[in-house]
Amino acid sequence: MITETLIYYLSQHPAIVTFRWSHIQSWGSTWSFVLTSIAFYLTFCALVHLFLQIFIKRGRTVPLGPIPAVYSLFMALISAVIFSGILLSTASEIQETRWFWRRSKTPFQWLLCFPLGTRPSGRVFFWSYMYYLSRYLHMFRTFFTILRFRKLVSFQLVNNSILTFMSFLWLEFSQSFQVLAILLATLVYSIVYGYRFWTAVGLPCACFPFVVNCQIVLLGCNFACHVGVLLLHFMKGGCNGIGAWWFNSVLNGAILFLFLNFHVKMYLGKRKEVISEAMVEAEMMKVK
């Protein structure tokens, strides 16, 4: 009974089945909205950081209490719901539309490459819309970083902006590959935010960079899927939204470059700190 209820509300509810991406009916569905929102996000983050630099003494942080832990739990649950919803909706969509494309594609190929003429309507696009809206919730974590660590991390700003814009393009152009991308992303987000909640409430953390490893896995899977889309596009007669996919690939490449640049700098910075500490200890030993 509980399973049937969950399946109904996650994949069979009339609001999900009859969903249609529309600039009139769907909130946040216009180009002006997404571009203005991203510009406001970047500007507001810069202003908050500038305010802290001017009015709060260096070294002091803004106490947030349990807010980051509650936020992490909320985002983990939201990501888990979107993952479950699009997984069930994908299974239903494949079952109901397979007669249309089964001669040319397997279900996995359909996940990578939508048939030409696919419109942004139905179950999977409802959850793609939910994922797009959730991208705005991801932006709040930037403010926690600014308030707690007094840092304006450019990688975090650009990453959130690009991912929000990409999720908009998925809906606007019915882009291929988005179903697998959302499944992978929401699975990783639910794990990562669950881990952040785990550590925020004082439970032991992993003995290795857990979050970074999850991000590397996600980027690696995305790269492999992009190669699959490219091959299917030329071998199976074309994939829907391929123009947006090319732009998406460029943005993903930018994220990969920024990710590697950011973490390499962090690694080198920590290495310099270790070396400098060792040199100080050596000098102290000489003095003794």
Side-chain angles (χ1 to χ4, degrees):
M1 184 64 182
I2 296 177
T3 304
E4 293 177 357
T5 302
L6 288 175
I7 292 174
Y8 173 78
Y9 281 106
L10 291 175
S11 64
Q12 303 298 335
H13 193 278
I16 297 176
V17 176
T18 60
F19 171 79
R20 182 178 296 274
W21 172 254
S22 167
H23 289 179
I24 299 174
Q25 298 177 353
S26 305
W27 185 83
S29 60
T30 61
W31 285 85
S32 59
F33 180 89
V34 66
L35 294 176
T36 303
S37 298
I38 292 172
F40 176 80
Y41 163 68
L42 296 174
T43 304
F44 191 67
C45 286
L47 290 175
V48 171
H49 182 255
L50 181 63
F51 177 84
L52 292 177
Q53 295 286 66
I54 295 174
F55 295 103
I56 297 181
K57 293 181 179 180
R58 187 177 297 275
R60 292 185 60 185
T61 59
V62 179
L64 298 176
I67 294 176
V70 174
Y71 170 79
S72 295
L73 177 61
F74 176 73
M75 291 304 299
L77 294 174
I78 289 291
S79 299
V81 169
I82 295 175
F83 173 81
S84 303
I86 198 167
L87 183 64
L88 293 171
S89 295
T90 299
S92 299
E93 203 72 24
I94 289 175
Q95 186 177 5
E96 293 180 9
T97 63
R98 192 174 181 181
W99 61 272
F100 177 69
W101 45 263
R102 64 181 177 183
R103 292 183 179 180
S104 59
K105 289 183 174 69
T106 64
F108 182 73
Q109 290 173 341
W110 178 84
L111 290 174
L112 286 173
C113 180
F114 285 155
L116 295 175
T118 300
R119 301 298 179 187
S121 61
R123 298 179 181 89
V124 294
F125 288 99
F126 171 84
W127 289 109
S128 181
Y129 178 54
M130 292 298 105
Y131 177 78
Y132 163 64
L133 295 181
S134 74
R135 288 305 322 169
Y136 292 101
L137 297 176
H138 284 273
M139 292 179 176
F140 282 97
R141 189 167 179 273
T142 307
F143 299 108
F144 299 156
T145 303
I146 296 172
L147 294 173
R148 294 176 67 183
F149 304 109
R150 304 286 297 274
K151 290 183 179 179
L152 191 64
V153 183
S154 57
F155 168 72
Q156 197 173 33
L157 293 171
V158 176
N159 183 57
N160 279 328
S161 300
I162 288 177
L163 291 177
T164 303
F165 188 61
M166 282 198 312
S167 60
F168 172 82
L169 293 179
W170 291 348
L171 288 158
E172 186 69 10
F173 296 100
S174 305
Q175 186 189 307
S176 297
F177 165 64
Q178 63 177 285
V179 175
L180 269 181
I182 295 170
L183 283 170
L184 292 170
T186 51
L187 177 61
V188 170
Y189 290 152
S190 60
I191 295 171
V192 167
Y193 278 106
Y195 173 76
R196 284 174 176 155
F197 171 75
W198 175 275
T199 56
V201 297
L203 295 171
C205 60
C207 57
F208 60 93
F210 182 82
V211 175
V212 174
N213 286 356
C214 288
Q215 291 172 332
I216 291 172
V217 170
L218 179 59
L219 288 171
C221 290
N222 280 337
F223 177 78
C225 290
H226 274 282
V227 173
V229 173
L230 187 62
L231 292 175
L232 288 172
H233 176 67
F234 290 109
M235 294 172 60
K236 295 291 183 178
C239 299
N240 199 69
I242 197 65
W245 176 86
W246 283 109
F247 187 63
N248 191 352
S249 299
V250 173
L251 294 179
N252 271 318
I255 290 176
L256 180 60
F257 171 77
L258 290 170
F259 174 83
L260 294 175
N261 183 57
F262 175 72
H263 287 287
V264 166
K265 284 183 176 179
M266 282 186 61
Y267 172 76
L268 293 177
K270 289 180 179 179
R271 189 176 178 182
K272 287 180 181 178
E273 289 180 4
V274 171
I275 293 173
S276 62
E277 288 177 2
M279 291 177 65
V280 170
E281 290 180 0
E283 289 296 328
M284 291 177 66
M285 291 296 291
K286 287 180 181 179
V287 172
K288 291 180 179 179

